[in-house]
């Protein structure tokens, strides 16, 4: 009678071994799967790090040519958007123009950068809209008749001769932020009220109806340099823009 339990014990042992082996294999396969799965959050962070590293490297390589450079943080945002737009095949003229409306209008807050030859071509005064602020631009709009500046990335268009002489059409690339630029006639043009003398006299630069206007003497050369699908980035530290833009992180 004592031998009748042996087959039962043997069978139980074999079943237990089989279950444990399946658990081990399942665990191994699960861990292997988890290792191979791409974490989208990690991938986004990695892409952001790559953009940051590339922009910092390029920033160090750019020759000021007697001018200054925009702040690295602003250049990084400009480079991020520039790279995204370039990937869409929209850029035909490899010039990046940056305007920092966080600065006083008495400062030379426009930079024109040759992205191929890695050098600053021009740094100059630029006006903001009369309803955006006095010395400092503080309020921005995408609406008609607002007389305010609009932030974000633009693609430069064609030139024309208007009441301010040679002028440059702009196409806003950011929905809700500047996409009505052409409809609003927001263009780059020269203006007599953009002058260092006037800025020193009254403490602020003359203002436009929303256009990024430059000095009359500067306008022809600037417009010929940046026309025909180069990138213009108008920046301000406002969280409204940073939170709403799809082109910068």
């Amino acid at each position: 009678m004592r031998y009748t339990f042996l087959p039962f014990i043997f069978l139980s042992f074999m079943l237990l071994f089989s279950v444990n082996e399946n658990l081990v294999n399942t665990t191994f396969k699960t861990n292997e799967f988890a290792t191979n799965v791409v974490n989208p959050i990690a991938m986004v962070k990695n892409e952001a790090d790559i953009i940051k590293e590339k922009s910092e490297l390029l920033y160090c390589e750019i020759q000021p040519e007697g001018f200054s450079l925009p702040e690295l943080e602003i250049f990084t945002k400009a480079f991020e958007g520039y790279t995204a737009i370039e990937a869409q095949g929209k850029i035909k003229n490899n010039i990046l123009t940056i305007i920092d409306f966080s600065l006083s209008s008495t400062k030379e807050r426009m930079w024109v950068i040759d992205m191929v030859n890695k050098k600053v071509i021009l740094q100059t005064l630029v006006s903001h809209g009369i309803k955006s602020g006095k010395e400092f631009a503080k309020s921005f709009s995408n609406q008609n008749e607002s007389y305010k500046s609009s932030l974000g990335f633009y693609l430069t268009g064609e030139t024309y001769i208007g009441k301010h002489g040679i002028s440059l059409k702009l196409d806003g690339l950011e929905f809700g932020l500047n996409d009505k630029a052409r409809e609003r006639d927001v263009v780059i043009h020269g203006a007599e009220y953009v002058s260092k003398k006037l800025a020193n006299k009254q403490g602020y630069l003359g203002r436009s109806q929303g256009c990024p206007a430059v000095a009359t003497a500067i306008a022809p050369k600037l417009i010929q340099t940046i026309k025909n699908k180069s990138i213009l980035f108008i920046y301000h530290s406002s969280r409204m823009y940073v939170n709403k833009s799809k082109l910068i992180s």
Side-chain angles (χ1 to χ4, degrees):
M1 294 293 292
R2 61 185 175 181
Y3 296 106
T4 58
F5 293 101
L6 289 176
F8 176 74
I9 293 171
F10 179 75
L11 181 60
S12 298
F13 175 79
M14 292 302 295
L15 286 172
L16 181 62
F17 178 79
S18 177
V19 169
N20 286 338
E21 184 179 24
N22 287 335
L23 285 172
V24 169
N25 289 336
T26 301
T27 302
F28 175 77
K29 289 178 180 178
T30 301
N31 289 338
E32 183 181 27
F33 175 76
T35 301
N36 292 327
V37 169
V38 177
N39 184 332
I41 296 176
M43 187 169 69
V44 169
K45 287 183 178 179
N46 187 48
E47 288 177 357
D49 289 341
I50 291 172
I51 289 291
K52 187 172 183 294
E53 288 174 4
K54 285 184 176 179
S55 67
E56 289 177 353
L57 179 61
L58 178 58
Y59 186 83
C60 292
E61 293 177 342
I62 292 173
Q63 299 299 313
E65 301 291 327
F67 302 110
S68 68
L69 288 173
E71 293 292 328
L72 174 58
E73 179 184 357
I74 298 167
F75 178 80
T76 298
K77 293 184 186 303
F79 179 77
E80 183 180 6
Y82 180 94
T83 302
I85 298 164
E86 185 179 41
Q88 297 170 12
K90 294 182 178 180
I91 300 174
K92 304 301 180 185
N93 181 0
N94 295 105
I95 299 293
L96 172 60
T97 303
I98 299 173
I99 296 175
D100 182 6
F101 274 157
S102 300
L103 299 177
S104 164
S105 64
T106 64
K107 304 295 184 183
E108 294 184 332
R109 52 186 180 169
M110 171 189 271
W111 293 263
V112 182
I113 302 172
D114 183 334
M115 298 293 277
V116 174
N117 296 307
K118 302 176 184 178
K119 63 180 182 179
V120 178
I121 300 173
L122 179 68
Q123 182 182 1
T124 189
L125 296 169
V126 60
S127 71
H128 55 252
I130 193 168
K131 292 291 184 69
S132 282
K134 201 171 184 178
E135 179 185 353
F136 289 90
K138 298 178 180 178
S139 181
F140 307 94
S141 175
N142 191 38
Q143 299 303 312
N144 290 321
E145 307 301 323
S146 67
Y147 299 140
K148 294 182 180 181
S149 298
S150 300
L151 302 175
F153 288 88
Y154 297 78
L155 200 62
T156 63
E158 69 279 14
T159 63
Y160 69 98
I161 304 298
K163 64 180 181 180
H164 297 288
I166 187 168
S167 303
L168 178 65
K169 295 278 190 179
L170 298 172
D171 291 298
L173 300 178
E174 301 203 65
F175 179 77
L177 288 167
N178 63 18
D179 60 304
K180 292 183 180 179
R182 190 171 281 258
E183 179 185 332
R184 293 178 60 204
D185 291 324
V186 173
V187 301
I188 292 180
H189 63 77
E192 295 294 336
Y193 54 76
V194 182
S195 75
K196 197 71 175 177
K197 183 178 180 180
L198 179 62
N200 291 336
K201 180 180 178 180
Q202 63 185 18
Y204 58 93
L205 203 63
R207 293 157 295 164
S208 68
Q209 293 184 344
C211 298
V214 297
T216 303
I218 294 292
K221 179 182 177 182
L222 169 68
I223 289 171
Q224 290 298 330
T225 301
I226 70 174
K227 67 180 182 179
N228 297 333
K229 301 189 185 306
S230 74
I231 292 299
L232 165 66
F233 176 49
I234 302 181
Y235 173 81
H236 190 272
S237 55
S238 165
R239 292 306 305 175
M240 177 279 293
Y241 170 68
V242 175
N243 292 335
K244 198 169 183 178
S245 177
K246 299 291 191 299
L247 290 172
I248 64 172
S249 56

